[in-house]
Structure formats: structure tokens, C-alpha cells
Amino acid sequence: MGVEKVPKYNIPIKKVDYVFIELEKMKPHEQLVQKELEAFIESVTGSGIFWKAMLLAKVPGEDLYLIVDGHHRWAGLQKLGAKKAPSVILDYFSDDVKVYTWYPAFKGSLDRVIERLKAEGLEVIEDPEAEEKAERGEIAFALVGERSFSIPGALDEQKKVSKVLDEMSVEGEIELIYYGLKEDARDDMAKGEVDYVFIRKAPTKEDVMELVKRGEVYSPKTTRHVLPFIPDMIDVKLEDLF
Ligand code: ADP
């Protein structure tokens, strides 16, 4: 997977209470990345300690929890046969919880990327208005750099783009970087560190809840949730989660 460029915030670490929630009551909202899953499993089985609580939000009207953060911990624990995980339950719809998105960017050949996107069945149309359309949620992505393109569609098309970028990054054809802020991507483009950035509209919290209720998921790195605090590390034995 690509590198992350997280905006520099000063978020305080806070000791928060956690509860044990059954893994089968948790609902993902994003697809998994195999490499991240393997990394977590290796880490938790190596140390025998689970040190980062899951962040969950109650799904209104259902005995279920949306996974806000912790998709790979959830899937990894399930794979190991565990039954529950220490979790912090958030007041998801409070203004304290913000949802943004990640902007994938690449360094590499635009022509090769477009060729691969088209091979996946996607349309890539030169369009000076692409960014505005993407910000209004009218297209799956805008591809913006020296030139500007629209990629029509919605969720399924976003998943295809994500798949192509992941594959090309694994193959070493592009350098893939995920930006938390569009402005940072633009700065790096001006410096020649990346060539193109994919822009999409960030989902709202309502969008995320609706998606989960429908049993669907976004492509990896669609949501970037930000809290006013970073939960302090916990110290729970892996064997206590079975
Ligand atoms: P996502 O961010 O896609 O929702 P995760 O947050 O679950 O998925 O990604 C795996 C996380 O697991 C990483 O943030 C990593 O810091 C964390 N991690 C690695 N080792 C451990 C461990 N032993 N206990 C708890 N968390 C761990």
C-alpha cells in the first residue's frame, strides 16, 4: 500500500475508558488491505499484547457497532479466533468527530495509469471542471495534475481506481502516496514530488452509517476520521480476548 502523509495536528493523548465488544457485533465500512492485516497479526501474536483499542460507534436502532477505526484489528482478531476486542464507543454524530477523506496521489506515468484504469472498464475524460464535479460528488474521482480528468461513477468506480493504484504500487510502476489534505498534495506537486492526485468528495457521517446499514463497504482509505484526542495505549493480553 502507499505511504500516508498525515496533516500535522496537535492532538492530545487521553486516557479513555474501554469496554469489551464482541467482534461479531462490529460492522466494517471499508475494504481491507491484505498487507495491513498480516502486519497486525504478526504484531499481536508476536507480543501477545493488544495495545490499541478499537474505535466504534453505535449503529442507531441496531445491536451493532460501526468500526470507525480498527478494520484490520477486527479482521485480524477474528482470523485468530478471538471473540471480543477492547473498544472505545464514540458519540459519532457529535461535532467532536470529524470525517475527511484521503487523496491518493502518484509519481509515475500518467499514460500508464490511464491505460490501466481503462483496462478496468473505467472512463477517463479530459475535463477542466473535473475537480469541482468531484467535490460535488458528481463523479467517482477527478484526476488532477498538469491536465485534469473526470472519472465518472460512484462507489464501484472508486473501488476499481483503488484496486488499480494498489496493484501498480505493488508492481513498482508508481509511487503511491495518500494525502490527508489536498493542499499538501498540491504543494508536493509543485515541488515535483508527485505528478497527479485523485480527488473525491469526503463521505459524511450519515453516508457512512447508511452504507453500513446496507451492508456495503468503501474502498480502502475512503474515510479519515479525526477525534479531538488520541486514545492512550492500553495493555490487554491477547489470550483474554478469546
Ligand atoms: P484501519 O485503520 O484500516 O481501520 P487498523 O487501525 O485496525 O485498520 O490497522 C491496524 C492497526 O493495528 C494499526 O494502526 C496498528 O497500529 C495496530 N496494531 C499493531 N499491532 C497491534 C497490537 N499488538 N495491538 C493493537 N493494535 C495493534
Side-chain angles (χ1 to χ4, degrees):
M1 217 49 196
V3 179
E4 271 182 16
K5 290 226 179 172
V6 190
K8 287 180 195 67
Y9 303 117
N10 248 330
I11 304 178
I13 295 173
K14 195 173 121 186
K15 213 173 156 62
V16 280
D17 291 330
Y18 62 83
V19 289
F20 289 91
I21 301 288
E22 287 162 61
L23 297 173
E24 59 178 34
K25 288 192 177 168
M26 300 179 192
K27 287 281 168 202
H29 75 269
E30 275 182 3
Q31 292 175 321
L32 298 175
V33 178
Q34 210 53 39
K35 267 205 259 173
E36 280 189 47
L37 184 58
E38 285 159 18
F40 165 72
I41 290 178
E42 213 177 288
S43 156
V44 76
T45 50
S47 66
I49 301 293
F50 188 88
W51 51 260
K52 197 173 183 181
M54 305 275 304
L55 298 181
L56 305 179
K58 183 86 177 45
V59 178
E62 294 184 44
D63 188 20
L64 294 173
Y65 295 88
L66 163 76
I67 300 174
V68 175
D69 187 45
H71 286 86
H72 299 91
R73 280 164 277 171
W74 166 74
L77 287 176
Q78 266 190 332
K79 211 165 168 185
L80 293 170
K83 292 283 175 285
K84 56 191 176 180
S87 308
V88 174
I89 314 286
L90 302 172
D91 183 4
Y92 191 58
F93 288 101
S94 112
D95 283 341
D96 281 351
V97 180
K98 305 278 188 211
V99 59
Y100 306 100
T101 190
W102 292 98
Y103 302 96
F106 68 87
K107 184 157 185 60
S109 158
L110 172 68
D111 288 344
R112 284 288 296 139
V113 171
I114 291 181
E115 193 180 305
R116 291 282 289 267
L117 292 171
K118 287 186 171 169
E120 209 55 49
L122 294 164
E123 285 180 85
V124 184
I125 305 157
E126 187 136 22
D127 180 357
E129 312 282 305
E131 184 168 348
E132 292 74 23
K133 288 180 187 166
E135 286 299 356
R136 291 197 296 266
E138 294 167 7
I139 53 175
F141 272 113
L143 174 55
V144 177
E146 213 166 51
R147 293 155 69 195
S148 165
F149 303 86
S150 276
I151 302 171
L155 222 68
D156 284 343
E157 287 73 19
Q158 289 181 348
K159 285 179 187 165
K160 286 182 184 173
V161 170
S162 172
K163 176 170 168 269
V164 166
L165 294 179
D166 190 28
E167 284 172 3
M168 291 185 82
S169 147
V170 170
E171 291 160 11
E173 276 223 58
I174 54 167
E175 201 183 311
L176 179 60
I177 299 168
Y178 288 93
Y179 286 89
L181 296 176
K182 264 198 302 192
E183 297 69 49
D184 289 347
R186 267 189 226 290
D187 287 349
D188 281 2
M189 270 201 289
K191 287 187 255 168
E193 286 176 22
V194 286
D195 295 316
Y196 275 85
V197 59
F198 288 84
I199 291 169
R200 82 179 125 206
K201 181 175 181 279
T204 65
K205 291 184 232 178
E206 287 76 13
D207 292 339
V208 178
M209 271 300 176
E210 281 308 311
L211 181 93
V212 164
K213 283 191 168 191
R214 292 201 302 272
E216 290 183 51
V217 286
Y218 290 115
S219 53
K221 299 195 111 50
T222 298
T223 67
R224 184 169 74 82
H225 285 94
V226 179
L227 306 181
F229 60 87
I230 294 169
D232 198 6
M233 273 169 70
I234 59 170
D235 186 4
V236 175
K237 285 201 190 78
L238 176 60
E239 62 191 47
D240 292 342
L241 303 181
F242 285 76

